[in-house]
Amino acid sequence: MPDLGGRRVVVTGIGAVSSLGMGARNFIAAIRAGRSGIGPIGQFDATGFEHVLAGEVRGFSPSTYLHRISPEEWGRSSQFAAAAARMAVDDAGLGSPKLSSLRTASCFGTTNGESQLLEDLGEQWVFRGPEHLDPRLVHQIDAGRISAAVNVELGLTGEALTLGTACAAGNYSVGYAYDLISSGEVDVALCGGADASNRATHAGFHRLGALAADVPRPFDEHRDGIVTAEGGAALLLEPLESALERDARVYAEVLGYAMSCDAQHMTNPHAPSIAACIKRAHRNSGIKPADVGYICAHGTGTEANDATEIAAVREAFDGRVPPISSIKSVLGHTMGAAAAFGAVVSCAALHEGFLPASSTLRTVDPELGPDVDCVPRVSREERLRVVENHGFAFGGNNAVTIFGDIAA
């Protein structure tokens, strides 16, 4: 890749708290095997909802993964972020003494912040009155605490930033962390995303008519919507030079990113704006469209999103559609963590040499046009040089990150 200035930035640690398992190894193994994490809703009373499936993190025991923060003092989203970040640090082989000696930062994305706590407080207000709000919960609801939880858990004293750019937020966080490392402002950055299941989000997508009857089927002819999900994903970024000096495992290089806002519609994605964002990501990364061997799609499984995403890719790639698939087929839509999970999978795909499947796909929608390879049903082995990760959000926020093999 051409030298665009600044330090080269690599991913040396990944962590995942997901419905597919705890830790990046279990998460990636489930993605490769096409195992589903979707099941009956358990995080809230789903009585009255027509569709009652979600991708929830079952059996999460915070004390198993969190060494410094007390679960009683932090919301579920913060616990997910802190646990995933702890896993990423351990995965990178950076002990606490070494980490505390470095210039560090954390940056995590979210859609709903501490939504479960807000619902609890809402019920207290409605049924008992505002004078009975639990001050302990009020203290915990600030979404900015999600990245703060990462700093407290890991003993980091640098910047802690939480981004609220919804379902694109995970890619925003990767881009921000990339800038901090590339510019030399910090030596190590933890980035990712976290969100907890909650009734309000499920009800919102229910009212939009965007919930799938059973499982999500991105790019399928008969796709009918999303399945809400939760979790936390984290990546540890550092300069390539320091990673090589300490003989660290390098999953992938962050080649660049781009962001944009459609400024068109609150919920409907806009293909020309997304295509422009993809093209800008290619330029910023110093690559050509032909270099991209796989796209980890936003791929929600709604009719509008998938059709718009494929149309944007065709425009950005001069008519060609690289292999493209959606991990939401087995993970569900983890909201503010979605693009971060996509980034983790993109790095693993480069490191291990595979294309994740659209596991629930039955028949590719012919309306998407010819020659669309959605990696149907089964993951396949393939060495990759460059992978593109998409994250799009309500409000028209788009973020695209580009990862490459360090030898690319």
Side-chain angles (χ1 to χ4, degrees):
M1 296 299 162
D3 181 7
L4 301 180
R7 300 192 292 184
R8 294 176 69 180
V9 180
V10 294
V11 179
T12 56
I14 51 178
V17 178
S18 79
S19 63
L20 298 174
M22 303 301 297
R25 300 278 80 74
N26 291 328
F27 170 67
I28 295 300
I31 289 289
R32 297 193 67 166
R35 288 196 295 272
S36 177
I38 294 169
I41 290 171
Q43 283 295 307
F44 57 89
D45 182 0
T47 302
F49 284 108
E50 184 180 1
H51 304 308
V52 294
L53 296 178
E56 295 182 344
V57 181
R58 294 173 175 80
F60 175 58
S61 175
S63 59
T64 302
Y65 307 99
L66 301 174
H67 303 166
R68 297 186 59 172
I69 71 171
S70 172
E72 292 75 21
E73 298 176 358
W74 299 83
R76 188 171 172 88
S77 297
S78 295
Q79 294 174 29
F80 285 165
R86 169 69 73 181
M87 293 171 184
V89 169
D90 292 344
D91 187 49
L94 279 173
S96 295
K98 174 66 174 176
L99 195 61
S100 61
S101 71
L102 300 172
R103 297 174 302 157
T104 57
S106 69
C107 179
F108 280 71
T110 187
T111 294
N112 298 302
E114 293 297 358
S115 49
Q116 291 191 350
L117 300 179
L118 283 168
E119 288 186 356
D120 290 343
L121 288 167
E123 289 185 5
Q124 290 176 11
W125 185 302
V126 170
F127 295 110
R128 300 171 60 191
E131 66 275 18
H132 294 290
L133 293 179
D134 184 342
R136 182 181 60 88
L137 299 187
V138 174
H139 177 70
Q140 297 178 20
I141 60 172
D142 178 10
R145 284 168 55 91
I146 290 175
S147 287
V150 172
N151 274 30
V152 174
E153 171 62 22
L154 298 173
L156 311 182
T157 56
E159 178 181 3
L161 176 67
T162 301
L163 295 168
T165 43
C167 307
N171 266 352
Y172 275 75
S173 74
V174 172
Y176 190 76
Y178 167 85
D179 284 344
L180 292 175
I181 299 288
S182 178
S183 65
E185 288 193 43
V186 303
D187 303 311
V188 170
L190 276 302
C191 57
D195 257 310
S197 281
N198 63 92
R199 181 184 289 107
T201 297
H202 196 79
F205 281 98
H206 166 74
R207 291 294 294 155
L208 288 171
L211 291 179
D214 52 4
V215 296
R217 301 185 187 280
F219 308 115
D220 190 274
E221 181 178 16
H222 300 295
R223 64 188 181 278
D224 60 352
I226 75 164
V227 165
T228 57
E230 65 175 0
L235 303 92
L236 187 144
L237 274 54
E238 64 179 300
L240 173 62
E241 184 179 22
S242 68
L244 295 178
E245 283 178 355
R246 66 184 188 87
D247 198 25
R249 172 187 50 216
V250 175
Y251 287 102
E253 179 173 3
V254 185
L255 299 179
Y257 71 92
M259 302 165 184
S260 71
C261 181
D262 298 344
Q264 293 282 329
H265 192 276
M266 181 53 70
T267 58
N268 286 339
H270 187 242
S273 176
I274 292 172
C277 187
I278 294 171
K279 292 176 181 177
R280 191 177 307 128
H282 293 170
R283 289 196 299 272
N284 293 347
S285 303
I287 66 167
K288 295 179 170 53
D291 295 325
V292 178
Y294 165 71
I295 297 174
C296 190
H298 187 59
T300 61
T302 67
E303 185 172 345
N305 175 90
D306 295 359
T308 302
E309 186 165 10
I310 294 297
V313 169
R314 282 193 191 281
E315 181 178 340
F317 284 79
D318 299 323
R320 179 182 77 97
V321 180
I324 181 171
S325 67
S326 174
I327 61 172
K328 292 182 179 68
S329 58
V330 291
L331 182 63
H333 195 332
T334 54
M335 307 296 154
F341 276 116
V344 167
V345 169
S346 296
C347 292
L350 281 161
H351 185 64
E352 298 181 14
F354 73 98
L355 301 183
S358 297
S359 299
T360 55
L361 184 70
R362 293 176 294 199
T363 304
V364 176
D365 184 357
E367 296 297 320
L368 299 177
D371 302 323
V372 178
D373 176 7
C374 297
V375 196
R377 294 178 290 283
V378 180
S379 299
R380 60 177 187 254
E381 306 286 329
E382 186 169 324
R383 295 310 307 182
L384 296 162
R385 293 179 61 247
V386 177
V387 169
E388 180 172 310
N389 182 43
H390 289 177
F392 312 134
F394 283 177
N397 287 316
N398 310 305
V400 175
T401 48
I402 307 290
F403 298 89
D405 188 308
I406 60 170

